[in-house]
């Protein structure tokens, strides 16, 4: 019996190896394409994680990249008692929540409206015009915003023409959030519809036909057929957005290029706070602790949003 087992095992191994070689020979191009992003993430995402150790160690420039001595939770206690950090934390939440509350429903509505355009040429034109701002460099976008909102710009010229006084929008803290939200919607509204339009295109046309036979009008077909069918896509995108509420990586460039000391009160976010601490002041351990805290908060929000979504809608990221 043992001899039979010993004979079968090499045969199974050889069979698996043969299948593996055949599979790789047939699909090696796909694995070659996967290699590039895998290497990218390993080099630029996972290996740098080792540097998070300096959040618990005292780092001095020019010495060990992993710090000289253990400091424990010193830097975490330090930023928790720092009023400037909590101001940046509050501003991050205000900017991201305001942007989410405006952009998310508008993107969905815009996608539904685009889907209703029957003229193919007009639909492509509208899509192209709405997508273009996404491809404009953030430096150019912020430059346009500054020119439009400057005291000698067209918006203030319009205000003066109706008898008003020029407003220094860029220098006033109360105007930063509206500027950030409105410019963000203009830049990303069209681009955000791509996933929705792809999900809508996958809906079975027979569902619309059945709803029409049942007497559903146009709005009812959208409400009872289109939206339920793309609900998993809506849920997934909402979960990802909620998971990034505390994060500010995507908005760092715009905030950094638009804000100034006069608008720190409402414009200074966690990313700019970390940038000034780390590269500006050389407090690398302190800034790493803040960044690590931000990452854990984002992970917690993502997990909570996913669990709530699975209970309410039955779909989630995992």
């Amino acid at each position: 019996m043992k001899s039979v087992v010993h004979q079968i095992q090499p045969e199974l191994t050889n069979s698996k190896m043969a299948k593996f070689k055949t599979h790789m020979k047939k699909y090696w191009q796909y694995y070659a394409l996967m290699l590039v992003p895998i290497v990218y993430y390993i080099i630029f995402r996972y290996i740098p994680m080792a540097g998070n150790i300096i959040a618990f160690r005292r780092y001095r420039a020019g010495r060990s990249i992993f710090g000289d001595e253990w400091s424990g939770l010193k830097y975490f206690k330090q930023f928790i008692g720092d009023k400037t950090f909590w101001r940046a934390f509050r501003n991050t939440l205000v900017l991201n929540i305001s942007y989410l509350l405006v952009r998310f429903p508008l993107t969905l509505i815009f996608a539904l409206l685009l889907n209703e355009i029957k003229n193919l040429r007009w639909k492509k034109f509208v899509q192209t015009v709405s997508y273009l701002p996404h491809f404009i460099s953030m430096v150019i976008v912020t430059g346009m915003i500054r020119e439009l909102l400057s005291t000698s710009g067209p918006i203030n010229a319009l205000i003066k023409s109706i008898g008003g006084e020029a407003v220094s929008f860029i220098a006033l803290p109360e105007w930063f959030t509206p500027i950030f939200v409105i410019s963000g919607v203009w830049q990303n509204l069209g681009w955000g519809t791509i996933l929705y339009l792809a999900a809508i295109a996958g809906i079975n046309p027979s569902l619309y036909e059945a709803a029409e036979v049942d007497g559903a009008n146009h709005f009812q077909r959208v409400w009872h057929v289109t939206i339920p069918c793309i609900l998993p896509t809506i849920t997934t995108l909402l979960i990802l957005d909620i998971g990034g509420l505390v994060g500010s990586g995507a908005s760092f460039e715009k905030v950094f290029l638009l804000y100034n000391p006069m608008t720190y009160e409402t414009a200074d976010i966690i990313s700019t706070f970390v940038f000034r601490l780390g590269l500006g002041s050389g407090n690398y351990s302190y800034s790493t602790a803040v960044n690590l805290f931000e990452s854990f908060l984002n992970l917690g929000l993502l997990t909570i949003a996913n669990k709530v979504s699975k209970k309410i809608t039955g779909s989630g990221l995992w």
Side-chain angles (χ1 to χ4, degrees), residues 175-212:
W175 278 103
F176 190 85
T177 300
I179 292 169
F180 178 87
V181 172
I182 294 170
S183 61
V185 170
W186 168 75
Q187 192 175 10
N188 296 308
L189 181 65
W191 184 255
T193 62
I194 291 177
L195 290 177
Y196 290 130
L197 290 173
I200 292 171
I203 298 175
N204 191 340
S206 63
L207 295 174
Y208 292 106
E209 295 171 3
E212 190 173 0

Side-chain angles (χ1 to χ4, degrees), residues 73-297:
L73 299 176
K74 171 187 173 182
Y75 299 108
F76 291 89
K77 293 176 182 177
Q78 187 175 341
F79 75 71
I80 286 174
D82 188 348
K83 292 182 180 179
T84 308
F85 164 77
W86 290 112
R87 182 189 66 184
F89 183 82
R90 180 201 66 203
N91 293 340
T92 303
L93 284 178
V94 170
L95 287 177
N96 286 337
I97 292 175
S98 302
Y99 182 51
L100 176 62
L101 291 177
V102 175
R103 177 191 58 79
F104 194 84
L106 283 181
T107 303
L108 178 59
I109 294 168
F110 188 57
L112 294 173
L113 292 175
L114 276 176
N115 186 61
E116 297 303 316
I117 298 177
K118 302 305 178 185
N119 188 312
L120 191 59
R121 288 186 177 179
W122 176 244
K123 183 177 182 178
K124 287 183 177 179
F125 173 76
V126 173
Q127 284 180 300
T128 302
V129 171
S130 63
Y131 292 170
L132 279 177
H134 178 79
F135 298 99
I136 301 175
S137 167
M138 189 60 72
V139 175
I140 296 175
V141 169
T142 52
M144 292 168 60
I145 293 171
R146 286 184 177 277
E147 287 297 322
L148 287 170
L149 299 177
S150 67
T151 51
S152 58
I155 293 179
N156 271 308
L158 179 62
I159 294 173
K160 291 177 183 177
S161 67
I162 58 176
E165 295 183 0
V167 180
S168 184
F169 294 100
I170 299 297
L172 296 174
E174 61 269 23
W175 278 103
F176 190 85
T177 300
I179 292 169
F180 178 87
V181 172
I182 294 170
S183 61
V185 170
W186 168 75
Q187 192 175 10
N188 296 308
L189 181 65
W191 184 255
T193 62
I194 291 177
L195 290 177
Y196 290 130
L197 290 173
I200 292 171
I203 298 175
N204 191 340
S206 63
L207 295 174
Y208 292 106
E209 295 171 3
E212 190 173 0
V213 169
D214 289 340
N217 58 34
H218 197 78
F219 176 78
Q220 288 173 331
R221 291 198 296 273
V222 171
W223 185 259
H224 295 289
V225 177
T226 305
I227 293 179
C229 287
I230 64 172
L231 190 58
T233 303
I234 297 172
T235 303
T236 300
L237 294 177
L238 183 60
I239 291 171
L240 291 173
D241 283 335
I242 292 174
L245 283 180
V246 182
S248 44
S251 57
F252 168 74
E253 290 181 11
K254 181 187 287 187
V255 174
F256 182 74
L257 293 168
L258 281 178
Y259 85 152
N260 56 71
M262 290 182 289
T263 58
Y264 278 179
E265 182 184 340
T266 58
D268 191 24
I269 57 176
I270 294 177
S271 288
T272 53
F273 177 70
V274 169
F275 178 84
R276 289 201 314 277
L277 281 175
L279 296 180
S281 304
N283 296 324
Y284 298 105
S285 293
Y286 185 75
S287 59
T288 302
V290 174
N291 215 20
L292 193 60
F293 176 72
E294 175 192 352
S295 300
F296 278 115
L297 280 180

